[in-house]
Amino acid sequence: MTLRWVSAGLGLLVLGLLILGAVTTSAQQTPPQPHQAAPPQPQAAAKPANIDRNGVLMLIRSTLLALDHANKTGNYTVLRDLGAPGFQVNTAAKLAEIFAKQRGDKLDISGVAVIDPQLSLLPQIEPNGLLHVAGFFPSVPSQVNFELLFAPVEGQWRVIGVSLSVGQSSPVAPPAPEVPPGKAVVSQKQAAPPKPSVPSK
């Protein structure tokens, strides 16, 4: 299953969501001269988020459980209402369309309520101010992979981007070969011949 981003009314790629700043150009701007190289602009780097583990777990679990409930009921209103304004651009019907495959597959991710996630990306604040976290919930036979973005809204982190997939948590052995009809399976281990008995005197 492929990862899917949901934000601002569109299914976006991971990097597309991280570039939310508007790019503007001015018609009055003169192009640089061919012989002049523009100095490189330093790119802002993400910085670690000042949030404790319990806070991160609550954000991850509440978001994924809201998605799980929405997929099970077909009602995406609560998931939408929990989101940041950029996420609420999606209608409940649009979210139902985006997550139709997961709903059709009857994907059950309720295990996220009791399993601790393994974080592959520790919580960090992106240059655009969004809280970004990623990881997976290990389970058997599948694991839930997630990547989430949260925007600050009135002193709270509210979801603005959701990416979710389910994959194998461990290598799976190939199926056993089928035996053609009429052929017996011969064990490679032979039983030891019985020892002759010694008559008692």
Side-chain angles (χ1 to χ4, degrees):
M1 182 179 293
T2 57
L3 294 173
R4 182 187 293 266
W5 277 102
V6 181
S7 178
L10 298 172
L12 299 175
L13 295 175
V14 175
L15 293 178
L17 234 181
L18 299 179
I19 306 170
L20 293 178
V23 178
T24 58
T25 55
S26 170
Q28 299 172 352
Q29 195 173 15
T30 57
Q33 298 298 324
H35 300 294
Q36 295 177 343
Q41 297 293 326
Q43 292 190 355
K47 58 184 179 180
N50 186 16
I51 184 170
D52 68 2
R53 177 172 172 78
N54 290 335
V56 172
L57 289 179
M58 286 188 291
L59 286 173
I60 294 169
R61 285 194 168 121
S62 63
T63 301
L64 295 183
L65 287 173
L67 175 59
D68 185 54
H69 295 156
N71 283 339
K72 287 176 177 170
T73 63
N75 184 346
Y76 291 82
T77 307
V78 173
L79 176 64
R80 178 186 176 275
D81 291 348
L82 289 173
F87 188 83
Q88 292 178 1
V89 171
N90 297 289
T91 63
K94 177 66 175 173
L95 291 174
E97 179 185 321
I98 290 169
F99 292 106
K101 175 147 180 37
Q102 292 179 3
R103 192 171 61 255
D105 291 343
K106 300 197 181 307
L107 179 64
D108 183 0
I109 59 171
S110 57
V112 303
V114 294
I115 302 171
D116 280 340
Q118 304 296 314
L119 299 182
S120 56
L121 175 67
L122 294 176
Q124 64 184 33
I125 305 298
E126 298 295 340
N128 56 13
L130 299 181
L131 173 64
H132 186 193
V133 63
F136 62 92
F137 286 87
S139 61
V140 177
S142 300
Q143 73 179 22
V144 177
N145 306 301
F146 65 88
E147 193 163 0
L148 303 170
L149 286 172
F150 299 91
V153 179
E154 297 177 356
Q156 296 181 24
W157 289 111
R158 308 271 294 268
V159 68
I160 193 169
V162 176
S163 175
L164 184 72
S165 71
V166 176
Q168 294 294 335
S169 60
S170 59
V172 177
E178 292 186 21
V179 178
K183 291 194 175 182
V185 177
V186 179
S187 172
Q188 297 202 7
K189 185 176 180 182
Q190 298 284 336
K195 293 181 179 179
S197 60
V198 177
S200 59
K201 293 183 180 180

